[in-house]
Amino acid sequence: MGPRALQVQHTLRSDPVSHPVSHYERCKMTMEPILLYGFPAGSSMGLVAAFERLGQPYRLCRVDMLAEMKNDAYARLNGRQETPVLITDEGRVLTETMAIAGWLAARDPERRISFEPRSPDADRMLQMMAFVNTGFTAAFSPLWAAFEMENAAPAVLSVLRDHGRKAVKERHDKLEAMIGNSPYLAGDHLTLADTTLIGVARWAEFHQAVDPAAYPKLAAWRRRVEAEPAVRFAQAIEDGAQPIGSGACLGHVPLAEAIQRFGS
C-alpha cells in the first residue's frame, strides 16, 4: 500500500464523518491489480495467462488496439500508446512486458510461474524472455507496418513484407535451436518465459511468415502451452468470451474508467 493510501486509510478510521473519502480513494486502498490487455492478437494475451496461473486476485481492462489505443486519452496511461499496461495494487502505472513480468515474479512465492531467484532455472527463464521480448518480437515490426499502411504503394509493401519474413524466419531458426528437451521453455512447468512467447508465437501464422512444419520443437511446445487451462482462459478472454477460470479474475474495468482514475 502506498503512502497516499495509508494517509487516506488513517483519515477514514480517525474521522470518517468530517473527512469523507471518495470512491476513487476507497478503491485504491483495497484494489486489485488491473491488467490492460490489447486485442486482436495482442502480445499481452500471455500476461493474462500469467495472472490467471498465478491465482491471486486481479482485474482486466480490454483495449481495442485498432480503435482505442492511438489517441490522447489512452496516452494518459501510456504515452507510447501500447499495451500491456499494469495498474498495480498501489495504483501505480507500470508499462512494458518485461517490467510487468518482473512484478509478477516478485509476487510468486509458490513459484507457480517462475523459479527461485539466482537459480539456473530462473536464469534460463530470463534468458528466454529477453530473447522473445527483443529480437523475436521486433522481427515482426515490418509486417505489422505493412498491415497498418492501407494506402502505401505496392512496392513499399512488398519490401516491408519481404524484409519482415526474412527477419521472422531468422528468429524462428534461432528459437528452434534454443528450445531444449524440457516440456516448457525453462523447465518442467509453465512460466513467464512461456507466457511471454505464446502471445507472439501466433503472429507468424497471421502474417503467413514461416512454415510451422519447419519448426517441430516450437510446434510441439505451442500445442502443449495452448492446452494449459490458464492459456485457454486468456485466449477466450481475448476472443470476448466469458470463460470460467480459477476465480482469480474479478472482472473487467472499462477503459474509460481506468483512464479517468489512473491517467496522468
Side-chain angles (χ1 to χ4, degrees):
M1 184 178 294
R4 175 57 178 158
L6 289 171
Q7 178 185 357
V8 171
Q9 190 176 64
H10 173 74
T11 301
L12 177 63
R13 288 173 175 171
S14 62
D15 193 353
V17 176
S18 301
H19 299 88
V21 179
S22 68
H23 172 72
Y24 165 72
E25 296 288 8
R26 289 179 186 275
C27 289
K28 285 190 70 173
M29 288 189 294
T30 58
M31 67 177 285
E32 300 81 24
I34 304 168
L35 177 69
L36 281 73
Y37 67 95
F39 78 96
S43 62
S44 47
M45 184 271 281
L47 283 172
V48 176
F51 267 94
E52 181 66 12
R53 172 68 178 161
L54 184 62
Q56 298 173 15
Y58 70 98
R59 296 184 187 275
L60 294 170
C61 180
R62 187 172 175 85
V63 180
D64 184 338
M65 295 187 293
L66 302 178
E68 297 178 316
M69 195 169 67
K70 302 296 184 181
N71 56 63
D72 292 341
Y74 186 81
R76 292 175 56 195
L77 285 174
N78 185 351
R80 291 173 298 286
Q81 298 176 319
E82 299 171 342
T83 58
V85 174
L86 175 66
I87 311 298
T88 73
D89 51 358
E90 294 182 333
R92 294 183 293 106
V93 176
L94 185 63
T95 65
E96 306 302 327
T97 295
M98 291 292 285
I100 296 171
W103 188 93
L104 284 166
R107 290 156 179 79
D108 183 23
E110 298 180 0
R111 301 302 164 199
R112 294 177 60 82
I113 54 173
S114 62
F115 296 102
E116 194 66 29
R118 302 186 185 183
S119 67
D121 286 336
D123 292 342
R124 165 77 173 173
M125 181 186 77
L126 292 173
Q127 173 182 285
M128 297 301 290
M129 289 169 64
F131 174 81
V132 170
N133 198 56
T134 54
F136 189 87
T137 300
F140 289 92
S141 295
L143 296 174
W144 286 120
F147 177 76
E148 295 173 1
M149 295 171 64
E150 298 179 354
N151 300 317
V156 173
L157 296 177
S158 178
V159 169
L160 286 171
R161 288 167 181 154
D162 288 346
H163 178 68
R165 289 185 178 118
K166 289 177 182 177
V168 169
K169 180 184 182 303
E170 186 261 344
R171 286 292 153 172
H172 272 69
D173 291 344
K174 292 184 182 299
L175 179 59
E176 183 76 5
M178 292 172 70
I179 296 176
N181 296 321
S182 58
Y184 298 92
L185 289 182
D188 61 359
H189 70 279
L190 185 82
T191 70
L192 289 161
D194 303 290
T195 59
T196 301
L197 177 57
I198 194 59
V200 181
R202 61 214 176 130
W203 290 355
E205 65 188 44
F206 178 85
H207 292 289
Q208 298 181 329
V210 297
D211 178 6
Y215 305 99
K217 289 184 180 180
L218 181 59
W221 167 86
R222 186 171 168 184
R223 289 192 296 270
R224 191 176 301 115
V225 170
E226 288 179 342
E228 287 279 343
V231 176
R232 293 203 307 269
F233 175 87
Q235 182 65 72
I237 286 288
E238 184 185 67
D239 291 342
Q242 296 180 331
I244 298 175
S246 66
C249 181
L250 302 182
H252 277 71
V253 174
L255 177 59
E257 180 180 335
I259 293 172
Q260 179 182 14
R261 288 172 59 187
F262 303 106
S264 60

